[in-house]
Amino acid sequence: GENVEQHPSTLSVQEGDSAVIKCTYSDSASNYFPWYKQELGKGPQLIIDIRSNVGEKKDQRIAVTLNKTAKHFSLHITETQPEDSAVYFCAASIAGNQFYFGTGTSLTVIP
Amino acid sequence: SAVISQKPSRDICQRGTSLTIQCQVDSQVTMMFWYRQQPGQSLTLIATANQGSEATYESGFVIDKFPISRPNLTFSTLTVSNMSPEDSSIYLCSVKDGMGWYGYTFGSGTRLTVV
C-alpha cells in the first residue's frame, strides 16, 4: 500500500518568514494530494490540494508543488503569521479515494 | 462543505468501560469515516460506515472492539469497547465533500483518555 513520509516533524519560523513542509509518497498511482491544517482542539481542515496533472497550485500565501518523477510534494507558506501555527498533514490518494496521511508537522510561528 | 457535529468533545473513562461517540452531519452523505489519531501521530482509518450495510474495517481494527452504527445518511456512532489506556486517542469522524477528487471534512474530534 501507499506510504507517505513527511518532514520535518517540527518547524519554528519567525513571523514573516517562509515555511516549507515536504512529503514523499511511494505509490506512483497516487494522483491527488491534499494538505490539512489542524489547530489545537479542532479537526483537520483542508487548506489546499493538487492533482497530478499540475505541478504547482497557489492560493494567496499558500502554495503546493508536486514532482511526480521524484514522488514528492511540498507545502509552502509565505509571510507567515502567528495564526499559521498548527499541525499540518499531507496526504496521498488515488482519485480521492482512501487517503494515506503523513505523520504531521507542528509549525510554530514566533511573533 | 459539510458541517459535522461530534460529541462528546472529550471524556475520561475507566478501563473496561465503553464510550459511544456520535457524529451528526448537516447533509446526507453516502459514506462516513472514522479515524483514530494517537498522541503525536497521524490519522489512521478505523472503518468506513455505509448506511444500510455493515461497516468496513481496516486491518488491525475489529467490529467487537469498535462497533459502528449508521442508521441514516446523516448520523453515525462509533463505540470504543472494553477500553484500556492504549485506546487513549483522538477519534475523528469524517465525510467526503463530494465524489471523486474532493477532500474530507472532519469533525472536531473526541479526545478520549482511559485511566
Side-chain angles (χ1 to χ4, degrees):
Chain A
E2 174 68 279
N3 181 45
V4 178
E5 295 190 356
Q6 183 172 347
H7 300 282
S9 57
T10 60
L11 179 61
S12 292
V13 299
Q14 292 289 331
E15 183 177 358
D17 288 350
S18 295
V20 181
I21 303 170
K22 299 181 179 181
C23 288
T24 61
Y25 60 99
S26 61
D27 189 345
S28 57
S30 290
N31 55 11
Y32 176 62
F33 307 93
W35 284 89
Y36 286 84
K37 176 183 181 182
Q38 186 176 27
E39 296 176 323
L40 197 62
K42 298 184 179 180
Q45 283 194 304
L46 178 68
I47 55 172
I48 195 167
D49 56 12
I50 191 168
R51 302 184 193 185
S52 61
N53 58 345
V54 299
E56 183 173 0
K57 183 176 179 180
K58 194 171 182 179
D59 182 4
Q60 299 183 342
R61 297 186 297 108
I62 295 173
V64 57
T65 58
L66 171 66
N67 183 325
K68 285 190 297 182
T69 303
K71 294 206 280 275
H72 69 69
F73 56 112
S74 300
L75 177 71
H76 304 254
I77 306 174
T78 59
E79 300 172 25
T80 53
Q81 301 167 3
E83 50 266 38
D84 294 328
S85 296
V87 178
Y88 291 81
F89 291 97
C90 62
S93 84
I94 300 174
N97 293 318
Q98 183 169 349
F99 284 16
Y100 296 88
F101 287 88
T103 49
T105 296
S106 178
L107 173 64
T108 301
V109 179
I110 304 166
Chain B
S1 58
V3 177
I4 300 174
S5 174
Q6 189 173 337
K7 296 179 182 178
S9 58
R10 58 178 62 229
D11 208 339
I12 300 173
C13 300
Q14 296 290 325
R15 66 177 67 199
T17 63
S18 298
L19 175 72
T20 295
I21 302 167
Q22 300 180 3
C23 183
Q24 178 76 53
V25 189
D26 69 342
S27 58
Q28 293 185 339
V29 293
T30 304
M31 291 192 291
M32 296 176 73
F33 306 88
W34 288 97
Y35 282 84
R36 181 174 73 183
Q37 185 178 21
Q38 295 179 300
Q41 302 285 324
S42 187
L43 292 81
T44 302
L45 181 63
I46 297 172
T48 301
N50 301 307
Q51 194 268 335
S53 64
E54 291 278 339
T56 303
Y57 289 82
E58 298 299 309
S59 176
F61 298 97
V62 295
I63 188 171
D64 290 346
K65 176 67 175 177
F66 299 100
I68 288 171
S69 77
R70 183 78 201 275
N72 57 54
L73 291 173
T74 64
F75 187 78
S76 178
T77 66
L78 170 76
T79 298
V80 186
S81 303
N82 189 24
M83 289 184 286
S84 66
E86 293 71 37
D87 294 320
S88 297
S89 286
I90 298 173
Y91 292 86
L92 295 149
C93 71
S94 175
V95 302
K96 286 288 290 291
D97 282 322
M99 297 301 294
W101 296 91
Y102 294 91
Y104 291 14
T105 294
F106 286 87
S108 54
T110 296
R111 183 178 294 273
L112 170 63
T113 302
V114 183
V115 297

